[in-house]
Amino acid sequence: MSQQPKLLRVLAGEAVTPPPLWIMRQAGRYLPEYRKTRKEAGSFLDLCFTPKLAAEVTLQPIRRFDFDAAILFSDILVIPHALGQSLRFEEGRGPVLGPIGEDLEALDVSGVQEALAPVFETVRRVRRALPPDKALIGFCGAPWTVATYMIAGEGTPDQGPARRMALAEPDRLQRLIDILVDASARYLLAQIEAGADAVKIFDSWAGVLDEAGFERWAVKPVQAIIERVRAVAPDTPIIAFPRGAGGRIGGYAGETGADALAIDWTLPMRLARDLVPEPVALQGNLDPLRVIVGGAPLDSEIDAILAAMEGRAHIFNFGHGITPDAPIAHVAQLVERVRARGPI
Ligand code: CP3
């Protein structure tokens, strides 16, 4: 058997049966072992910046479920934190960030790599501990999604504050996006250098943008990051997640040049398959709610996704992150069902 991680074969365009499997937000509060380590760490950011503990929680879901890939444990908002914006995570509320300043004077790119050194140490530790047939995925947030939190100072239902800035102060938003493109490209390259086998760019709020906004704030910045990463690390595959992009994913794949697209659960996989030409791989796209409910609603959709993706390079995953109320037995049921899929 080849030691090359299955995930990397699929990211190179190969269809593999059963498909490699991992879960967005697989290290998290639904796992008792995560909650224990999280308590030990103190704050969420302390957990992100303590390599020993961050490596431990990265590996926990691999030990429990034998997933095909580990994803670095960190957060997309460590970039604003490293740029000097204040950040804390409040229980039951989520991220809370300080103001960015009128001309963004508070944001300083020069200290980013040093501030994020503990993250790179986590990557090194995880890669050393991970079996050779498992892939390690590094990641960052896409500039648009990170900017939405930086501008609003917190999560909002529709990222209205950032969308309003896009219309009223596009030059200011462009400056912020340019800073984030620069910081994110360096950040991904440092993760690759430390041992990440693939990287993923999370644009969780791409879908709230209109046609012109999508092109300027979602497509262009991700295209720029991919270009910069490829120039230095041409062999490292890149997954992009333009959540909510719907029918726009075909153009998005072509323009950004991503090796794979992660698909949210609102877009049927067979449609995604038609819209995105080979050899681009597709990841997704189970509705996380089906894992809460379990039973037949879970099984039937797993089967439907697998059937829709037969013969196409596919990574089985959720259409968004697993939630803290997901029963572990249902995740085990999912793993068993996906793995039971025999080679065609
Ligand atoms: O297992 C993994 O996927 C790796 C770690 C990871 C986290 N966040 C850990 C986390 C990853 C890849 C992320 C990405 C992330 N963070 C995104 C993009 C993906 C998505 O879900 O859309 C976004 C938008 C964020 C920003 C963020 N981080 C929010 C809005 C919140 C609060 C909501 C929540 O779930 O609590 C976080 C906190 C966070 N990031 C937690 C975890 C495990 C929970 C905090 C805790 O444990 O106390």
Side-chain angles (χ1 to χ4, degrees), residues 30 36 44 56 62 70 92 128 145 160 165 168 187 189 191 214 225 243-244 278 302 308 320 335:
Y30 74 106
K36 184 165 172 283
F44 174 70
E56 165 60 21
I62 311 303
R128 275 202 303 272
T145 286
M165 189 192 286
Y187 180 48
L189 282 167
Q191 291 179 42
F214 186 79
I225 291 174
R243 183 165 75 99
E278 290 183 280
I302 293 170
H320 201 194
V335 172

Side-chain angles (χ1 to χ4, degrees), residues 219-264:
V219 174
K220 291 290 180 214
V222 169
Q223 183 185 56
I225 291 174
I226 291 179
E227 224 171 80
R228 278 190 52 182
V229 170
R230 285 261 166 77
V232 180
D235 298 330
T236 304
I238 302 173
I239 307 168
F241 177 42
R243 183 165 75 99
R248 300 179 283 193
I249 57 164
Y252 183 92
E255 284 194 70
T256 60
D259 297 278
L261 290 196
I263 307 299
D264 68 75

Side-chain angles (χ1 to χ4, degrees), residues 45 49 76-89 95-101 104-109 112 115 145-154 165 172 176 179-180:
L45 277 179
F49 291 132
I76 63 167
L77 299 178
V78 298
I79 286 279
H81 180 70
L83 286 167
Q85 186 174 18
S86 79
L87 168 68
R88 60 178 203 282
F89 285 84
V96 181
L97 299 94
I100 46 172
L104 313 176
E105 70 282 343
L107 305 177
D108 176 13
V109 189
V112 166
T145 286
V146 174
T148 63
Y149 289 97
M150 294 179 78
I151 292 161
E154 62 185 342
M165 189 192 286
R172 182 160 171 244
L176 177 56
I179 291 169
L180 290 170

Side-chain angles (χ1 to χ4, degrees), residues 21 331-341:
L21 161 69
V331 179
Q333 175 191 341
L334 166 125
V335 172
E336 200 180 314
R337 197 162 185 99
V338 173
R339 295 259 161 86
R341 188 86 177 181

